[in-house]
Amino acid sequence: MVAYVIIPGIDGSDEWHWQSLWEKRWGPPAVRIAPASWRRPDLPDWVAAIQAAHETASRRDNQVALVAHSLGCWAAAHWLEKARPEAVAAFLVAPPNPQGPAFPREAASTFLGLSARPLPCPSLMVASNDDPYCEPTTSASFAHEWQAQGHLIGSYGHINSASGLGDWPAGLELLRMLVDC
């Protein structure tokens, strides 16, 4: 069995988002981060929330998968770099480009200075070829710099509830392949 740390982007994931649907499916083995700064993300607050969620999840199982979306990808990568936990895998979906024109600079100013560095665990970065927050070539560059496997899924925007993916079975299969490797 695997425990999961759910790391949404700004404002969390709504009830129709694949992360929320997966969290319901998994039940207690899934722990959602609970930062105080959902609306105006503060990186240290989010990193502390990931640490707390990881501690809870790792009590449920010794293998933990981080399931991050959007800005949560950057928080997860930063936490991984600092904490260097054992028995972790990172599933990173639709990371926004902190240097891109659509990045929420004012709301997420503490995330602006981040850059992709090699992650200390098996990782998969999933992107869409029409994400308004990140060009596919930039996503591929993040995957390369994180030393994560990159996977482009086609035209699904920001891979969120507006993308119409529902429970996103193909994403769940990608996660299973990452965790089982």
Side-chain angles (χ1 to χ4, degrees):
M1 184 97 179
V2 175
Y4 302 94
V5 173
I6 309 294
I7 310 168
I10 291 178
D11 288 332
S13 297
D14 64 33
E15 63 186 318
W16 301 281
H17 194 288
W18 55 268
Q19 278 183 313
S20 298
L21 297 172
W22 291 2
E23 181 181 5
K24 275 185 196 168
R25 171 193 292 239
W26 293 328
V31 181
R32 182 181 289 249
I33 67 167
S37 59
W38 276 122
R39 275 206 164 310
R40 296 186 63 82
D42 175 65
L43 183 59
D45 179 40
W46 282 41
V47 168
I50 294 169
Q51 179 65 37
H54 179 264
E55 288 170 6
T56 300
S58 61
R59 285 193 293 270
R60 295 179 179 164
D61 198 282
N62 64 355
Q63 184 180 8
V64 177
L66 305 181
V67 180
H69 177 256
S70 191
L71 196 61
C73 297
W74 288 105
H78 190 69
W79 177 78
L80 284 165
E81 183 180 340
K82 301 291 182 202
R84 297 210 161 293
E86 294 183 18
V88 170
F91 186 69
L92 309 170
V93 180
N97 179 358
Q99 308 310 315
F103 191 81
R105 283 173 171 51
E106 186 177 320
S109 62
T110 58
F111 287 73
L112 288 173
L114 296 178
S115 59
R117 295 188 178 104
L119 298 176
C121 63
S123 307
L124 173 62
M125 193 276 319
V126 180
S128 167
N129 63 19
D130 63 350
D131 188 335
Y133 297 99
C134 195
E135 295 288 322
T137 54
T138 304
S139 294
S141 151
F142 293 155
H144 177 75
E145 291 163 2
W146 278 327
Q147 294 181 355
Q149 180 183 1
H151 187 82
L152 197 60
I153 64 166
S155 299
Y156 289 97
H158 197 46
I159 313 176
N160 55 16
S161 53
S163 300
L165 294 166
D167 195 82
W168 192 26
L172 205 50
E173 184 58 30
L174 290 168
L175 175 60
R176 282 192 187 116
M177 290 187 315
L178 171 66
V179 170
D180 290 345
C181 67

